[in-house]
Amino acid sequence: MKFIEDLLGGLFPGKNSKVAIRENFSISKEEEDKALGWMNSSEGKAALKRIYDNYHLKKAGVNKAPEVHVLQSPYANGFAVSFQAPLSKADFSRIFIGLGQEILGMGYRRVSLDRKIEEVHDLVRVTEKFYFKPPLSAADLDNKIDQLFGNISLEKIYLNNKPNFLKVLVTVYADRLYLKAAPFDRFMDQLFKAD
């Protein structure tokens, strides 16, 4: 009878059921070009420098707007940027697309670009996510594989159609088949062109 209950529950959901939709989507070449143009403008460079500086200030215990949250563990490191002034809604999207292009420029390949729409505590959360992997090759099985910095996810989160935060997370391979990942601080320097 469990099968019938599950089937009926899917056809006639109760009050407690949550909606979750996942879909692939694409970003046009024009959107990418506009985002990169903005990132290379004085306004874009200032916004990126502010985020980069606020990341380092946060590590020292100082909060500045937009607030940056530091994510650290032995196998994953990253940061999240809260949507706050002086960032605009347009900046939020440009940074998301532009950072994705910067990651590709580091030698990564984009594996997916998807959007998840879900109901969370009476809010609608939309998460747009890039997922990147290093250019792995098994051409020479005698050598370890260079994982660069590890796998990278880049997320843009909206709550009730309002920007909430951007998150970048780098997860390293702990497998003996891979070379040790490059340091996360170097990733930050390259991502924000601070080196």
Side-chain angles (χ1 to χ4, degrees):
M1 291 309 241
K2 174 96 172 99
F3 171 76
I4 301 282
E5 290 170 9
D6 290 344
L7 181 63
L8 289 174
L11 293 172
F12 305 103
K15 276 187 161 181
N16 294 331
S17 68
K18 303 292 182 193
V19 175
I21 300 166
R22 185 178 296 267
E23 62 187 1
N24 292 327
F25 74 103
S26 62
I27 295 172
S28 72
K29 177 76 170 117
E30 182 181 347
E31 289 174 294
E32 290 172 353
D33 291 345
K34 282 183 181 178
L36 282 175
W38 177 83
M39 287 185 60
N40 289 317
S41 72
S42 58
E43 181 186 353
K45 287 178 181 178
L48 292 173
K49 182 175 182 346
R50 188 174 296 114
I51 292 168
Y52 178 80
D53 290 347
N54 289 357
Y55 167 81
H56 289 288
L57 287 169
K58 180 68 170 210
K59 286 177 72 174
V62 178
N63 286 325
K64 288 228 172 189
E67 188 172 357
V68 175
H69 309 272
V70 177
L71 313 168
Q72 288 182 306
S73 78
Y75 297 105
N77 291 290
F79 65 95
V81 180
S82 295
F83 177 70
Q84 296 173 326
L87 295 178
S88 71
K89 192 172 183 177
D91 295 344
F92 195 67
S93 288
R94 291 175 186 140
I95 291 169
F96 174 70
I97 295 168
L99 290 180
Q101 293 301 302
E102 293 295 334
I103 293 167
L104 289 173
M106 292 180 188
Y108 277 81
R109 60 188 172 91
R110 187 173 74 201
V111 178
S112 66
L113 175 56
D114 63 58
R115 178 183 296 126
K116 183 177 181 183
I117 304 166
E118 59 190 329
E119 182 184 351
V120 179
H121 305 295
D122 296 327
L123 298 171
V124 175
R125 178 169 61 193
V126 177
T127 304
E128 293 181 352
K129 180 179 179 179
F130 280 113
Y131 192 70
F132 302 91
K133 288 191 168 214
L136 306 178
S137 75
D140 186 356
L141 298 176
D142 295 330
N143 295 322
K144 290 189 175 189
I145 301 167
D146 185 1
Q147 65 174 297
L148 302 176
F149 300 101
N151 292 332
I152 302 171
S153 67
L154 169 59
E155 297 180 4
K156 176 175 65 167
I157 290 88
Y158 285 81
L159 290 177
N160 286 344
N161 209 26
K162 294 179 182 166
N164 193 262
F165 66 92
L166 289 170
K167 181 173 81 173
V168 176
L169 189 65
V170 179
T171 309
V172 301
Y173 292 97
D175 192 303
R176 61 181 170 74
L177 297 174
Y178 297 91
L179 293 171
K180 185 178 178 184
F184 183 74
D185 285 341
R186 189 181 317 155
F187 168 78
M188 289 294 291
D189 291 345
Q190 287 185 19
L191 183 64
F192 288 93
K193 297 181 179 177
D195 51 351

